[in-house]
Amino acid sequence: MNELILSERMPVLAMRGLVLFPQATMHFDVGREKSVRALEAAMNADQHIFLVTQKEIEQDDPGFGDLYEIGTVAHVLQVLKIPGDTVRVLVQGEYRARATQMLQTAPCMMARVESIPEEETPSITPRTEALLRQAIELFGEYAELSQRPMQDIMLHLLSEKDPGSAADMTAQAASYDYKEKMRVLSQLAPVRRLETANRLLARELEVLRLEAQLQEKTQQSIDKGQRDYYLREQLKVIRGELGENDEDAEIDEYREKIEKLHLPQEADEKLHKELQRLEKQPYGSAEASVIRNYLDVALELPWNTRTRERTDIRVARRILDEDHFGLEKVKERILEILAVRQLAPEQPGQIICLIGPPGVGKTSIAMSVARALNRKLARISLGGVHDEAEIRGHRKTYIGAMPGRILTAMQQAGTHNPLLLLDEIDKLGSDYRGDPSSALLEVLDAEQNATFRDNFLEIPFDLSECMFITTANTADTIPRPLLDRMEVIELGSYTDEEKRSIARDHLLPRQLAKNGLKKSQVRVTDDALREIIRCYTRESGVRNLERKLGELCRKCAVQLLSDEAPRRVTVTGTNLESFLGPRRILPDKLPETDPIGLVTGLAWTSVGGETLEVECNVMDGSGKLILTGNLGDVMKESVQAAVSYLRTRAEQLHIPSDFYKTRDIHVHFPEGAVPKDGPSAGIAVCTALASALSGTPVRRDIAMTGEISIRGRVLPIGGLKEKTMAALRHGVKTVIIPHENEKDLQEIDQTVRRALNFLLVDHADAVLDAALVRPVQEEPAVRKTTERVLPVAQHDTAQPNQGIRQ
C-alpha cells in the first residue's frame, strides 16, 4: 500500500445527492451560503476543494457528523453566476480523501484533509479481464437503454486496463442512487470496487428493462380513447374533491347563456357549433382554452341590453349649458340631433367629428352629450395606433388573441346603444401591419356598421344604434374617405371674455376644491382673471389657464397657513405678480406715430390668432429682393406677387418706375425663429412695400389680412375669427378683410364686432387708399371700377406646432 501523499487545510463543500469520482468532470449548481463561501475560499487559494456527500438530502445545514467519511478532492475549473443567488461550478475530481479534523464551520466549513492511497493494482489476471469485459458489456447495454450520449465514456472504457478506474468511470456515468455510488467510492481495493460497480450496474439494467417492458405493455393495452376516458374520470374525481363544478355543468351553463340571449340565427349557430367543439375537447387542452375564451368574450357583449335614451331637448340644453360656456354652434347641432331622434327614432346614429385646437373642450363635450342623452360613454384613444388589428381584432387562433377596440369598448359600455368617443382620430398611423383608418371606414358608415365583423368574433355585430363622436386637432391628416363619412363641426378659439367666464364659473371652483380651499377663503377679481389670460397664457383652449389657476390656489393656500395667516386672500390685477411672478406675455403696443414700411398683419396659429408685423426697408442697390423671417414657399410667392403688382401701379403710387433695378428691397417678418407660411399676408406685404418705396406713412391703428394676386385682386382667407380677436388685443381700430369674407363676420364674437371697424375690399388699391396716410391734395389711387366677385378660395389651415400660417 502506498504512503499518504497529502495532508492540508482545505474548504469543504457538502453535496446533496451527488457523488464525484476521481478523474471525472461534473458541473452542478450551488445555492447554500456555506457552499458559496467554500467555493470563494477555494478560488482565493489554489482552486482545490474537498467535495463530500451528506448522508441525508433533506439536511439543510449539515455538520461534520452528517457527512460521509470519504470524499474527493477536486480542482475547480469554472465558476459562473446565474440569475438569483445560485452559482454554477465545473469541477474535476483528482483523488480520494478524508477529513481528519474539522477546523471551522462558519462562514464555510474548513477541515484538515488527507489523501487516501489506493491499493496497488495487481497484474491482469483472467478474473480481472473477465470483470473488465463484463463492465464493458453492461455499460454498453445501459447506454442503449438509457438513450443518453455516452460514446466518449465507452471509448475510454474499452481502452482502460485499470479495474479501479473502470469502476469509477461506470459508477460516475450510471444513474443509480448516491448511497450506492458511495459504496463504490468507499471501496479502496480496485478489483473489489469493479465487482461492486458491475453488480450495481447489473441491478440498474434490470430496473431499466422492467421500465421498458411496463411502458410497452401499457402502450399496447391502453388505446387513446381508453386513456382519455381514464384521465377524464381521474380529473372528475380530483375536481369533485376540490369542490369545483364538473365539465358537464360548465357546458350546460354556456348553453343556458346562449339560449337566454336570443341571438340572430348566424350568431346562434356559430356559438352552438363552438360549444359542441368544446364538449369534444379534453378539459386541459390548449384548444379548449381558446374556445372558452371565445365564448366568454361573445357572451359578455351587450347583444340585447340597451339604455333608455333621453330625447328631452330642454334637459339636454340645460346639461350642455351647465358643462360648457359658449360653443353655441356645437350645442345647436347636438339639439338638432335630439330633435331628429325624437321625431324619427328609427334613424341610425349620427357620426360627428369635432375639430379644433387643443384645450377647447372637444372630449368634455362628448361626455356632456352622453349625459344629456342618458347613454353610456366608452372612450377609445386612437392616438399612435398603427395596427389594423387594434380596430378589427386578431384571429382567435393566435396566441393571446383578443377583440378589437370597438368591441372592447362595447363590452365596457355594457349597452347596445352607447356613445363611442373616438379620440384623436387625426393621429392614426399606418405601417406594415395595416391601415387602421381604413378599418374604421366600415365602423363609421351608417349603411355598413349594422353587420360589423370583428376578426376575433367572426360573426356580425350591430353597431347601427351607436352614436359616434370623433375628435381631431386638424382635418388635414384625416383620410378623405373617412372624413367624408363624418359631419365636421369646427370649434374655434375662445375669446378672452369667454375664457374669463369659464375660469370664473368652472375652472376656479374646481381648482379651489382640488386644493382644499373654500370659496370664502380666496377671492379672484375679474381684473386678475383677465391679466392671467392675457399675460400668463397664450392658447386657444383653457388648459394652461387652469394650470395657472391651480398654481394661484396653491400660493393662496401657503398664505392661509402662514404664521400671520389672513382670513381671506384677495387676488387682484395689481398684486397678481406676487403670486405668479412677472408677466411672461406683455401686451402688444401700437407705435406712437404712423410708421413707414411697417404694417400690422394678422395670422392664424395652432394656439389662436396673432398679430404679425411686416417690415420693409428700401436701399440703393441693383434690384435684389431679400426675404427673411423663416418664410415658407407660399409666403415668398406672396411677396413676389406684391412686387409685380406695385410695378404696374408705380406711377399712380408715386413710386420710381425703375425701383426694381435701382433699389434693394428687404422684407422681414419678426420672430424669425418661428416658421411662417400661407398666402394671407399678401396685402400687408403690398402695403409695407408701397409705404417704403413712396415714403408714405401707414396708419398705426389699422390691421389687415388677405391674399393678393399679381393684378391686385384681394382673395379670401381663413381663420377670420381668431385673427380678429388678435386685432382687438393689439388695440387696432380698423381691420381690412377681403370682401368675400363678409359671410364669415357672422361667426365673429359680438364683443369683437362691436369694438372693431371692418373694411371690406376687393382690390389692393382700396387697401392702399385706406392704410396709407397721404397728403390732402393727393388723389387716391383707388380704381373706380369694381372687381368681379371670385369663387371662395380654400381656407388656410395649419398643423399644430408647425409655426404660423398667414
Side-chain angles (χ1 to χ4, degrees):
M1 180 175 292
N2 297 334
E3 297 296 329
L4 293 177
I5 62 173
L6 183 63
S7 176
E8 63 175 327
R9 186 176 184 270
M10 192 176 297
V12 179
L13 193 152
M15 298 195 298
R16 290 198 277 197
L18 297 176
V19 178
L20 177 66
F21 287 84
Q23 309 307 319
T25 302
M26 181 174 65
H27 66 83
F28 54 92
D29 294 340
V30 177
R32 291 183 290 188
E33 179 70 20
K34 281 188 176 182
S35 302
V36 174
R37 293 294 181 87
L39 276 174
E40 293 176 353
M43 297 302 294
N44 292 331
D46 57 355
Q47 300 185 3
H48 283 82
I49 191 169
F50 181 53
L51 301 179
V52 59
T53 305
Q54 61 186 64
K55 297 177 182 179
E56 300 296 335
I57 294 179
E58 62 272 8
Q59 186 73 27
D60 193 59
D61 188 14
F64 189 65
D66 299 321
L67 306 176
Y68 282 100
E69 180 183 0
I70 296 178
T72 303
V73 173
H75 180 254
V76 181
L77 300 178
Q78 186 183 45
V79 176
L80 179 66
K81 290 186 178 180
I82 59 177
D85 297 331
T86 308
V87 176
R88 182 161 294 172
V89 59
L90 177 66
V91 297
Q92 183 177 14
E94 294 190 350
Y95 53 86
R96 286 174 171 81
R98 64 165 56 90
T100 59
Q101 180 184 2
M102 181 62 69
L103 301 178
Q104 68 178 50
T105 58
C108 66
M109 290 190 290
M110 299 288 293
R112 179 71 62 183
V113 177
E114 291 183 351
S115 64
I116 302 176
E118 297 189 7
E119 296 181 1
E120 295 182 357
T121 303
S123 58
I124 301 298
T125 63
R127 184 170 180 275
T128 305
E129 184 70 28
L131 288 174
L132 287 172
R133 292 182 181 180
Q134 182 186 22
I136 294 172
E137 181 180 356
L138 290 173
F139 191 78
E141 187 176 355
Y142 173 79
E144 182 179 354
L145 286 176
S146 62
Q147 297 181 353
R148 292 165 54 190
M150 298 183 181
Q151 292 84 354
D152 295 342
I153 302 176
M154 194 68 188
L155 290 174
H156 285 86
L157 192 60
L158 288 171
S159 61
E160 184 61 60
K161 298 302 180 182
D162 181 20
S165 298
D168 291 346
M169 199 178 304
T170 58
Q172 184 71 61
S175 59
Y176 44 79
D177 189 70
Y178 72 97
K179 295 181 180 179
E180 306 292 344
K181 291 187 177 184
M182 282 303 304
R183 291 174 56 191
V184 179
L185 183 67
S186 302
Q187 182 58 256
L188 302 180
V191 177
R192 292 180 183 177
R193 189 189 311 157
L194 185 57
E195 290 178 353
T196 304
N198 286 351
R199 186 168 57 255
L200 293 174
L201 190 58
R203 183 175 177 277
E204 183 70 15
L205 276 174
E206 188 66 26
V207 174
L208 288 177
R209 291 192 192 99
L210 288 174
E211 286 182 357
Q213 292 175 4
L214 289 174
Q215 185 176 2
E216 184 178 357
K217 289 180 181 179
T218 303
Q219 189 71 22
Q220 293 175 354
S221 61
I222 301 178
D223 58 10
K224 186 178 185 303
Q226 291 175 329
R227 178 177 177 275
D228 291 348
Y229 174 78
Y230 176 72
L231 292 176
R232 284 198 188 98
E233 291 300 318
Q234 278 190 330
L235 187 60
K236 286 182 180 180
V237 173
I238 293 172
R239 296 183 66 193
E241 292 294 330
L242 294 174
E244 299 179 358
N245 296 328
D246 58 10
E247 189 175 357
D248 293 337
E250 181 188 35
I251 299 297
D252 295 338
E253 183 180 354
Y254 277 128
R255 184 174 288 109
E256 183 179 357
K257 289 181 179 179
I258 295 173
E259 297 297 335
K260 284 184 178 180
L261 287 177
H262 302 290
L263 300 174
Q265 181 178 357
E266 183 179 354
D268 187 76
E269 292 176 355
K270 173 69 174 177
L271 295 185
H272 276 97
K273 184 178 179 180
E274 294 293 331
L275 190 60
Q276 292 174 3
R277 291 179 58 202
L278 180 61
E279 287 183 293
K280 299 177 183 179
Q281 299 294 327
Y283 182 81
S285 67
E287 183 66 19
S289 300
V290 171
I291 299 174
R292 284 190 186 89
N293 184 37
Y294 175 80
L295 291 174
D296 290 339
V297 171
L299 295 176
E300 288 176 2
L301 288 172
W303 294 92
N304 299 310
T305 305
R306 292 172 175 82
T307 55
R308 185 173 181 180
E309 188 177 31
R310 179 169 52 210
T311 57
D312 191 338
I313 295 180
R314 292 173 297 177
V315 175
R317 186 188 297 274
R318 177 178 55 81
I319 292 175
L320 291 174
D321 289 338
E322 287 177 358
D323 293 346
H324 296 87
F325 181 83
L327 305 176
E328 298 301 330
K329 183 179 178 181
V330 181
K331 294 178 182 177
E332 288 300 323
R333 184 65 188 91
I334 299 301
L335 296 177
E336 291 171 7
I337 293 175
L338 291 180
V340 172
R341 294 288 297 173
Q342 188 170 359
L343 297 175
E346 71 280 357
Q347 293 296 320
Q350 301 295 317
I351 300 170
I352 299 173
C353 181
L354 303 177
I355 296 180
V360 296
K362 299 183 293 297
T363 303
S364 60
I365 285 174
M367 296 179 180
S368 298
V369 171
R371 191 160 71 94
L373 296 177
N374 193 34
R375 290 197 182 207
K376 297 290 185 180
L377 175 70
R379 177 178 173 270
I380 305 172
S381 178
L382 299 178
V385 173
H386 288 76
D387 191 355
E388 181 219 352
E390 291 285 337
I391 306 299
R392 287 190 175 275
H394 303 77
R395 297 287 181 187
K396 68 176 184 293
T397 52
Y398 291 110
I399 296 176
M402 62 184 68
R405 297 196 180 194
I406 300 297
L407 287 193
T408 302
M410 295 293 296
Q411 184 177 340
Q412 292 172 353
T415 63
H416 199 67
N417 60 336
L419 188 151
L420 296 184
L421 172 60
L422 306 181
D423 221 354
E424 309 293 349
I425 197 171
D426 59 325
K427 296 176 179 60
L428 283 171
S430 61
D431 56 16
Y432 65 92
R433 291 168 290 186
D435 186 1
S437 62
S438 300
L440 283 174
L441 294 177
E442 180 185 4
V443 177
L444 299 181
D445 193 330
E447 301 298 330
Q448 302 179 29
N449 59 15
T451 57
F452 173 72
R453 286 180 181 267
D454 188 273
N455 291 332
F456 181 87
L457 198 62
E458 297 179 339
I459 51 179
F461 189 85
D462 187 7
L463 298 177
S464 60
E465 296 184 35
C466 300
M467 180 176 180
F468 292 93
I469 294 182
T470 66
T471 68
N473 295 128
T474 176
D476 291 350
T477 56
I478 303 177
R480 303 310 299 179
L482 188 60
L483 188 63
D484 184 63
R485 284 164 165 77
M486 303 181 290
E487 180 175 352
V488 176
I489 300 178
E490 294 186 358
L491 282 73
S493 305
Y494 288 117
T495 65
D496 289 351
E497 287 302 311
E498 287 176 339
K499 290 181 181 179
R500 183 187 60 82
S501 299
I502 294 171
R504 182 188 59 202
D505 299 334
H506 299 278
L507 304 182
L508 184 59
R510 183 162 61 197
Q511 287 299 320
L512 288 173
K514 185 177 179 180
N515 290 279
L517 299 172
K518 299 178 181 178
K519 291 183 179 180
S520 60
Q521 293 178 304
V522 177
R523 176 176 175 267
V524 182
T525 64
D526 287 348
D527 290 340
L529 291 176
R530 290 190 181 95
E531 287 294 313
I532 295 174
I533 293 168
R534 294 174 182 174
C535 301
Y536 290 91
T537 62
R538 178 173 288 179
E539 57 180 341
S540 297
V542 291
R543 283 181 180 160
N544 289 330
L545 177 58
E546 185 171 7
R547 294 189 187 103
K548 286 297 178 183
L549 291 175
E551 181 182 350
L552 182 64
C553 291
R554 292 192 294 271
K555 299 291 186 182
C556 294
V558 172
Q559 283 199 9
L560 290 171
L561 297 177
S562 60
D563 295 336
E564 300 178 359
R567 295 182 179 179
R568 184 178 186 182
V569 177
T570 302
V571 182
T572 63
T574 56
N575 67 352
L576 184 61
E577 289 191 356
S578 62
F579 293 92
L580 298 181
R583 288 166 170 77
R584 300 184 179 275
I585 304 171
L586 298 178
D588 298 325
K589 293 182 179 180
L590 292 175
E592 296 181 358
T593 59
D594 293 335
I596 297 176
L598 178 62
V599 178
T600 301
L602 298 176
W604 183 94
T605 71
S606 60
V607 295
E610 293 288 342
T611 58
L612 182 68
E613 291 183 344
V614 182
E615 296 180 344
C616 180
N617 273 347
V618 178
M619 303 146 290
D620 292 335
S622 58
K624 294 180 181 178
L625 180 61
I626 305 171
L627 307 177
T628 56
N630 204 350
L631 309 183
D633 292 338
V634 178
M635 186 172 284
K636 292 177 182 178
E637 292 172 357
S638 295
V639 178
Q640 294 170 353
V643 172
S644 296
Y645 163 71
L646 289 177
R647 288 180 63 182
T648 64
R649 304 290 290 169
E651 183 179 352
Q652 292 85 345
L653 297 173
H654 305 287
I655 297 174
S657 59
D658 60 347
F659 73 90
Y660 63 93
K661 295 187 296 182
T662 60
R663 297 287 191 271
D664 286 345
I665 301 174
H666 187 171
V667 180
H668 177 67
F669 291 79
E671 297 189 37
V674 180
K676 310 172 188 70
D677 201 5
S680 62
I683 62 173
V685 173
C686 180
T687 305
L689 287 171
S691 171
L693 289 170
S694 63
T696 307
V698 182
R699 287 177 53 187
R700 59 192 179 94
D701 62 342
I702 197 168
M704 59 189 70
T705 179
E707 180 180 356
I708 190 173
S709 72
I710 61 174
R711 299 180 62 88
R713 294 180 300 165
V714 179
L715 305 180
I717 46 83
L720 187 61
K721 178 181 177 182
E722 290 81 4
K723 292 178 179 179
T724 53
M725 285 190 287
L728 180 63
R729 288 196 301 266
H730 193 67
V732 301
K733 303 299 182 183
T734 303
V735 178
I736 300 176
I737 64 173
H739 192 278
E740 294 186 34
N741 284 109
E742 182 180 5
K743 61 184 181 302
D744 298 325
L745 293 175
Q746 298 177 359
E747 300 180 2
I748 296 177
D749 186 80
Q750 294 299 321
T751 305
V752 178
R753 292 193 64 179
R754 288 192 298 266
L756 296 178
N757 177 31
F758 292 93
L759 180 60
L760 304 176
V761 297
D762 57 6
H763 198 274
D765 288 346
V767 177
L768 298 177
D769 184 58
L772 297 179
V773 183
R774 292 191 177 92
V776 178
Q777 67 274 11
E778 185 177 323
E779 290 294 329
V782 180
R783 297 191 309 175
K784 301 303 181 181
T785 58
T786 304
E787 292 290 338
R788 180 172 58 89
V789 178
L790 300 175
V792 178
Q794 186 176 359
H795 286 190
D796 298 337
T797 55
Q799 300 296 331
N801 299 325
Q802 288 188 356
I804 297 175
R805 285 185 63 92
Q806 302 307 319

